[in-house]
Amino acid sequence: MSKIVDDIKTGLKGIRGAGDAIRGEVLEATDQAFDNNQNHPETRASQAKNRVVAEKGKQDLRSVDDMLARREWEHKGVTGADGGASAHHRTDADASNAPASAVAGNSAQRAA
């Protein structure tokens, strides 16, 4: 596939990820504001579903940010030990499972 098509797909994935992150957060906030019984099984299931949607959206944003950074580095002709991935992202094992707010240096995580 051409790089233009890949770039368009990457952009669309980022837009969808942002939308999912916003949707999940808004629905979770709505559930918290309007549900009278926070311990009801349906309420808990809805909150869990909304958290999953929001986290998936944030994960998509992070992956798009990484892809764009790699392409920028490739365009500049810079390659690193990790195949040209951006140096401003942490890739160590303890950061991969950390909450978005705990991983420093990722602008998409701070913006989301």
Side-chain angles (χ1 to χ4, degrees):
M1 232 181 284
S2 73
K3 284 196 172 218
I4 294 172
V5 173
D6 288 341
D7 290 344
I8 291 171
K9 285 183 177 182
T10 298
L12 291 174
K13 185 176 180 181
I15 292 168
R16 180 174 180 194
D20 285 349
I22 292 168
R23 183 178 65 135
E25 296 289 335
V26 168
L27 290 174
E28 188 173 356
T30 303
D31 283 347
Q32 290 175 354
F34 294 111
D35 283 337
N36 294 331
N37 184 359
Q38 295 292 321
N39 293 324
H40 192 276
E42 288 181 21
T43 300
R44 287 184 177 242
S46 177
Q47 288 172 341
K49 178 182 165 192
N50 293 336
R51 267 186 247 116
V52 167
V53 169
E55 287 305 315
K56 173 81 169 81
K58 290 175 187 178
Q59 181 181 7
D60 285 348
L61 280 173
R62 284 189 294 270
S63 72
V64 167
D65 188 36
D66 288 342
M67 281 189 260
L68 291 174
R70 266 193 307 275
R71 289 204 178 117
E72 183 178 343
W73 283 82
E74 289 171 2
H75 179 70
K76 291 180 180 181
V78 178
T79 58
D82 58 355
S86 173
H88 72 277
H89 293 280
R90 290 179 51 180
T91 58
D92 54 338
D94 61 345
S96 64
N97 292 328
S101 60
V103 179
N106 192 323
S107 60
Q109 292 171 342
R110 286 184 292 231

